[in-house]
Amino acid sequence: GAGVSQSPRYKVTKRGQDVALRCDPISGHVSLYWYRQALGQGPEFLTYFNYEAQQDKSGLPNDRFSAERPEGSISTLTIQRTEQRDSAMYRCASSLAVGASGAKTQYFGPGTRLLVL
Amino acid sequence: QKEVEQNSGPLSVPEGAIASLNCTYSDRGSQSFFWYRQYSGKSPELIMFIYSNGDKEDGRFTAQLNKASQYVSLLIRDSQPSDSATYLCAVNNAGGTSYGKLTFGQGTILTVHP
């Protein structure tokens, strides 16, 4: 079936604008994750959901960043009042349900490249 | 100290050789360990995961885990030029309640030359 999809693939915005990044997980995957990846670095955890519940948002850098997944499927990562330091690749991943049995394999989407001018 | 550390490389090996990629982690409560491969400009893709001490083999790939030493490695036998990529080690620190959070190392760049 289709993999994880993200939109837009590229986003250029001016400093101070709000942006919304969308992720559509693999069908049947109830866990969804957001990461940020800087050039030459590994992905950095931002937040994750089981169904519509946000389980961990400890990686969100500050209160300008928020995420939601209201119906337990598509998720939106919103960055308010963007700053140049927010420029990065934002990656979404999904997996089967994760719980006390341990982490499940996460499948990554193609990412959204955000550039804040 | 970083939570997950990898030598950034680049690691260069000749075609047909064994490539050895290493990763150390700081959280003794870590339970699950993953190796991802990332080609330039692409998204990470899973190669292997390992949960228990010892070796786990899958084709040309072998993952090795030593929880006492907090060390996980990936061996690639009969390396091919198509194996040239960045290899990311990821650890699940499920010591608390964040069962889904993966912490990644910075990745090791592997180059396999003909």
Side-chain angles (χ1 to χ4, degrees), chain A residues 33 35 37 40-43 45 48 56 58 91 98-100 103-106 108-110, chain B residues 31-32 34 36 38 42-44 46 49 51 88 92 97-102 104-106:
Chain A
Y33 315 81
Y35 292 88
Q37 187 172 21
Q41 300 295 316
F45 172 81
Y48 89 93
D56 184 345
S58 63
R91 297 197 185 275
V98 64
K104 298 293 189 287
T105 298
Q106 297 182 19
F108 283 82
Chain B
Q31 298 181 351
S32 312
F34 301 80
Y36 282 82
Q38 186 172 26
K42 302 296 185 182
S43 56
L46 181 76
F49 61 85
Y51 299 150
L88 297 163
N92 173 234
T97 57
S98 188
Y99 303 113
K101 175 181 178 180
L102 287 183
F104 284 82
Q106 68 179 72

Side-chain angles (χ1 to χ4, degrees), chain A residues 6 9-10 18 23 28 32 50 54 57 65 72 74 91 95 105-106 117:
Chain A
Q6 292 186 244
R9 294 291 305 277
Y10 302 92
D18 298 350
C23 174
L32 184 147
N50 274 350
Q54 192 170 21
K57 56 181 181 179
F65 287 73
I74 292 169
R91 297 197 185 275
S95 76
T105 298
Q106 297 182 19
L117 301 176

